[in-house]
Amino acid sequence: MTKRLLTWTTATLLLPLALAEQPSAPDAVAAPMRDLPWGDLNFLQTTDSHGWHAGHLQESQYSADWGDYISFAEQMQAKADEQGVDLLLIDCGDRIEGNGLYDGSDPKGQYLYDIVREQAIDVITTGNHELYQEDSAAREYNQTVPNFKGKYLASNLDYINPQTGKQIAMAARYRKFTTKNKGIRVLALGFLFDFTGNGKNTVVQPVEKTIEEQWFQEAIREDVDLFLVAGHVTLNGPEYKAIFKAIRSQNWDTPIQFFGGHSHIRNSAKYDSKAYGLQAGRYMETIGWQSIKGISGGGKKEKKRPKEHEPRASMSFKRRYIDTNLFGYHYHTGLNESTFSTEHGKNVSSMIHDARKALNLDHSFGCAPRNLWLNRAQYPGNDSVFTWLEDEVMPSVVVRDDRKETPRIAITNTGAMRFDIFKGAFTKDTTYIISPFVSKLLYIKDVPYKSAKGVLKLINEGGPVFSSADMPPVSQLAPPEQMSIHADIIPPLPPRDFRSSNGAQAPLGSSEKPDLVPGYTTIDAVGDDGDDTLHEPIPFFRVPNCIQSDIAFPKEGEPENVDLVFVDFIQPWILLALEFSGQSYTKDDVEVYMEDTLTELMAGWIKENWKKDC
Ligand SMILES: *[C@@H]1O[C@H](CO)[C@@H](O)[C@H](O)[C@H]1NC(C)=O
Ligand SMILES: *[C@@H]1O[C@H](CO)[C@@H](O)[C@H](O)[C@H]1NC(C)=O
Ligand SMILES: *[C@@H]1O[C@H](CO)[C@@H](O)[C@H](O)[C@H]1NC(C)=O
Ligand SMILES: *[C@@H]1O[C@H](CO)[C@@H](O)[C@H](O)[C@H]1NC(C)=O
């Protein structure tokens, strides 16, 4: 690690090293807090960070950066050592795509891999985003895997070596180790959900099949004190159910701790009284905290299963979702402005600052006149990013010179947008944050309007047309946050008296209810006391899978034919919907409509229309 840090440019050395969090990050706001419940074995988890390692520069609640997280982990490690307990760090993938710190360089991730590797992660896995593009999968194989040698686990993922064409394990299938203070023997596995959209140089094996492999069957027969299953897998999906069942079939009483990811939510799950799961949200907004009390090292595996079905509940599993800001980090470590940051953490904050400067991420394209929300506002509506896209952006940018008079329908999936737009400076970074995808616009010429007009409805309703076909569910076209949320709106919680709620405290030294900052108010399988910070709830509205703009339509009546324009990601669904509407098209009928990506087109629109300096 030191070797890497010494390779920095001399510019770094001139920066004030007192710097922690990014200089332009807003200061954290004080809020009522809940303590972290410590156990004998404790975990910090990150997942779905998507390049947000500089922290959120427009939201004080999530303004700490990866360097601050390194300071936090090092201070917590010192606290663990002091108490003679253990602390392990977990990361469950999707570290890339979604922020200029990754997407803003060519090749992508020129700075990110060196920043991420500075954290001492004990178990790290792959997400689906590392595997969409062949070049990012290759970087994962030739950079991240060696950066986390022995800690990177790939229980169901292979890589195809470009030199030999041979299919080989992406990394170790599992890892066995003993914790340093309590001597707890851990067997760790690392999974990816049954993902099928990966590039040609990786092979994802379905979890059900992996379970049948000999190495797995041997691993789950090992005599250990804990099975640790980390993965880019939702906690309630079929993959973890199958793994839980397989481990329990050999170990009726051994504790199992799952860590999940992918759906971008804070979540926990209870599989039985000694098997729990935790998922730490997204975008470096959340650090997950999990503790197990009552677990010890070197326990003999109990061969005989007593009459009752459940393992004996001799342990307690507790969780917290930590907001990533310095106020909370200081609170949980008992340290302050002058004592919290470690030299290593500060160094990494400087590394991030240098990378952002080199990438020119603060370069302003314009000034957003208002907030535009993904799921926080009703669609359609003036505050919805999708209404803005549909009514203002797409009609003006989806234009091809030789066909500009031809009426057209432009369809994009809502999942192509990843984040809210905040009123204020719209920077180079913002473009990657709201839409990191390299989706090109494709089209099919002269589609009869009577068929084209039904496509959107079919894709949004899903239904049997799609479920019978061999393709992922249409819901995958919407933002991943919707995956686990079924209500149209999560209504605000009734006001609560947090002085009397579980473990809550008001460190502000006031008995008055302070103004709460809007933020997470998580309700999970364990209860509603998971968040470390008490917040005002934020509403959540569902949005459709896809949205559509009708462009250059005749003033009256319907066009006979239209150009059907769409982002490349949704091509399979478009073709199937057309077929269902009585028009058979194939891949060969699809052509490139414009060379620019949707993100570039959007940035162009913003430069034109939001010119003002903030
Ligand atoms: C890693 O993979 C990338 C993408 O294929 C390639 O450009 C790079 O040269 C590789 N690096 C090493 C050290 O093999
Ligand atoms: C931080 O804590 C140290 C040690 O407790 C104390 O000496 C110092 O005055 C505190 N600094 C601030 C800025 O509160
Ligand atoms: C931090 O960076 C400085 C300057 O490059 C270096 O001398 C020092 O060893 C680094 N410290 C740590 C803990 O990484
Ligand atoms: C939405 O914006 C339009 C144009 O600015 C305005 O006419 C309309 O009243 C707004 N609607 C709502 C519900 O605010």
Side-chain angles (χ1 to χ4, degrees):
M1 162 210 357
T2 324
K3 216 164 72 206
R4 290 221 68 86
L5 290 172
L6 290 177
T7 63
W8 292 1
T9 61
T10 46
T12 313
L13 301 174
L14 301 176
L15 278 171
L17 280 177
L19 170 152
E21 72 177 28
Q22 293 304 296
S24 67
D27 285 340
V29 177
M33 303 289 288
R34 295 187 179 99
D35 289 338
L36 300 181
W38 281 81
D40 298 297
L41 180 54
N42 307 278
F43 299 90
L44 291 171
Q45 186 209 0
T46 47
T47 187
D48 297 84
S49 47
H50 286 288
W52 286 78
H53 300 80
H56 290 236
L57 304 178
Q58 290 177 302
E59 289 173 287
S60 61
Q61 211 53 46
Y62 314 116
S63 52
D65 67 19
W66 192 248
D68 299 318
Y69 177 43
I70 288 173
S71 296
F72 183 56
E74 288 174 355
Q75 301 290 7
M76 294 296 276
Q77 192 73 62
K79 276 174 81 96
D81 291 346
E82 218 171 85
Q83 302 170 66
V85 299
D86 287 300
L87 177 68
L88 299 174
L89 268 61
I90 313 291
D91 184 273
C92 290
D94 274 12
R95 289 169 290 278
I96 68 164
E97 296 190 335
N99 190 289
L101 192 58
Y102 172 80
D103 296 279
S105 65
D106 184 15
K108 290 175 188 289
Q110 202 181 329
Y111 301 91
L112 189 81
Y113 297 100
D114 288 345
I115 291 164
V116 170
R117 74 176 297 180
E118 291 296 326
Q119 183 62 289
I121 300 170
D122 296 284
V123 173
I124 181 168
T125 72
T126 315
N128 51 311
H129 275 264
E130 277 86 2
L131 309 182
Y132 281 112
Q133 309 294 330
E134 288 183 37
D135 65 337
S136 62
R139 285 192 294 271
E140 199 61 12
Y141 181 77
N142 65 22
Q143 294 187 56
T144 314
V145 171
N147 284 349
F148 292 94
K149 198 162 171 34
K151 317 283 174 77
Y152 199 116
L153 300 181
S155 297
N156 65 333
L157 177 65
D158 288 347
Y159 180 66
I160 297 178
N161 185 316
Q163 269 88 48
T164 62
K166 281 229 171 66
Q167 184 175 335
I168 47 182
M170 179 83 165
R173 298 291 190 213
Y174 68 98
R175 167 171 190 227
K176 237 183 115 174
F177 61 99
T178 302
T179 63
K180 73 170 178 183
N181 290 325
K182 288 264 169 190
I184 296 164
R185 298 164 307 157
V186 180
L187 190 142
L189 297 154
F191 278 93
L192 173 62
F193 71 95
D194 294 346
F195 176 52
T196 55
N198 50 312
K200 287 195 191 72
N201 59 347
T202 52
V203 179
V204 182
Q205 187 178 53
V207 168
E208 286 278 6
K209 279 208 127 143
T210 305
I211 285 174
E212 292 166 5
E213 294 203 328
Q214 187 164 351
W215 73 262
F216 182 88
Q217 286 298 324
E218 282 166 13
I220 62 172
R221 285 170 171 78
E222 295 261 5
D223 183 15
V224 292
D225 304 310
L226 176 79
F227 286 97
L228 168 57
V229 185
H232 199 75
V233 180
T234 54
L235 296 179
N236 302 311
E239 295 92 346
Y240 273 179
K241 288 202 176 102
I243 294 168
F244 168 71
K245 216 174 122 205
I247 296 176
R248 273 284 169 266
S249 73
Q250 298 302 323
N251 304 272
W252 73 274
D253 195 44
T254 308
I256 312 172
Q257 178 64 51
F258 288 87
F259 288 97
H262 187 51
S263 54
H264 289 187
I265 59 168
R266 294 180 171 189
N267 198 16
S268 71
K270 178 180 177 180
Y271 303 93
D272 67 26
S273 63
K274 276 190 182 174
Y276 281 78
L278 183 75
Q279 182 181 334
R282 60 166 199 185
Y283 301 163
M284 289 305 294
E285 292 169 350
T286 307
I287 306 293
W289 172 263
Q290 176 74 48
S291 66
I292 309 176
K293 205 174 191 152
I295 188 169
S296 56
K300 270 265 164 290
K301 181 165 159 176
E302 294 220 31
K303 290 274 185 255
K304 257 202 159 149
R305 182 194 186 116
K307 282 194 193 77
E308 71 268 27
H309 281 291
E310 284 258 307
R312 283 184 299 242
S314 54
M315 292 177 190
S316 73
F317 292 72
K318 297 252 167 75
R319 54 86 184 89
R320 276 281 179 274
Y321 307 105
I322 302 170
D323 280 2
T324 55
N325 63 68
L326 287 178
F327 176 80
Y329 286 172
H330 293 170
Y331 179 80
H332 293 308
T333 53
L335 297 168
N336 66 30
E337 229 171 276
S338 45
T339 54
F340 170 74
S341 293
T342 64
E343 183 185 319
H344 183 201
K346 281 191 269 192
N347 276 358
V348 175
S349 292
S350 313
M351 246 174 125
I352 295 169
H353 180 71
D354 288 355
R356 287 185 51 83
K357 251 180 110 171
L359 293 169
N360 204 14
L361 294 183
D362 287 326
H363 174 76
S364 180
F365 287 158
C367 189
R370 58 187 202 273
N371 294 326
L372 290 168
W373 307 110
L374 230 62
N375 289 109
R376 251 192 241 191
Q378 206 139 19
Y379 166 86
N382 284 353
D383 298 327
S384 166
V385 79
F386 300 111
T387 297
W388 167 72
L389 206 59
E390 208 170 54
D391 292 351
E392 299 187 55
V393 182
M394 294 211 293
S396 100
V397 301
V398 182
V399 185
R400 189 186 147 108
D401 274 345
D402 59 341
R403 297 184 72 80
K404 62 172 181 270
E405 310 301 337
T406 314
R408 53 203 175 271
I409 286 178
I411 300 182
T412 182
N413 62 311
T414 52
M417 300 295 282
R418 303 292 278 192
F419 203 62
D420 307 311
I421 297 175
F422 292 101
K423 183 175 172 176
F426 193 103
T427 62
K428 182 178 171 197
D429 197 21
T430 321
T431 54
Y432 297 112
I433 286 173
I434 65 170
S435 186
F437 301 107
V438 289
S439 288
K440 276 197 177 27
L441 288 178
L442 308 178
Y443 80 124
I444 303 173
K445 257 189 204 122
D446 301 325
V447 177
Y449 181 65
K450 63 175 173 38
S451 299
K453 72 177 174 188
V455 166
L456 181 77
K457 191 158 179 276
L458 280 168
I459 297 180
N460 282 343
E461 287 174 355
V465 201
F466 298 101
S467 55
S468 56
D470 184 22
M471 59 204 307
V474 276
S475 59
Q476 284 201 4
L477 301 177
E481 286 78 3
Q482 288 192 178
M483 225 183 289
S484 317
I485 292 173
H486 301 292
D488 279 339
I489 170 173
I490 306 293
L493 295 172
R496 59 165 111 196
D497 174 5
F498 44 82
R499 268 166 299 150
S500 61
S501 74
N502 290 353
Q505 333 187 317
L508 303 179
S510 144
S511 58
E512 306 258 298
K513 182 174 165 174
D515 286 339
L516 298 181
V517 179
Y520 285 100
T521 49
T522 309
I523 301 172
D524 61 22
V526 183
D528 65 357
D529 62 347
D531 300 310
D532 80 326
T533 309
L534 299 191
H535 284 296
E536 202 61 48
I538 291 171
F540 185 99
F541 296 89
R542 284 188 83 84
V543 296
N545 301 326
C546 287
I547 56 166
Q548 166 176 320
S549 303
D550 295 343
I551 308 166
F553 269 41
K555 289 249 151 38
E556 272 169 40
E558 292 186 343
E560 192 176 334
N561 294 322
V562 293
D563 284 350
L564 182 58
V565 185
F566 49 89
V567 291
D568 57 11
F569 187 73
I570 64 175
Q571 175 173 316
W573 289 273
I574 294 277
L575 290 178
L576 200 61
L578 279 172
E579 192 176 324
F580 189 77
S581 314
Q583 298 294 326
S584 214
Y585 291 99
T586 69
K587 281 199 216 82
D588 300 335
D589 301 309
V590 178
E591 296 171 64
V592 173
Y593 190 77
M594 294 173 88
E595 282 297 338
D596 309 76
T597 66
L598 185 63
T599 308
E600 289 163 344
L601 292 170
M602 214 159 26
W605 185 93
I606 286 159
K607 274 182 214 160
E608 262 318 291
N609 293 274
W610 287 350
K611 263 184 208 141
K612 235 183 37 222
D613 220 4
C614 282

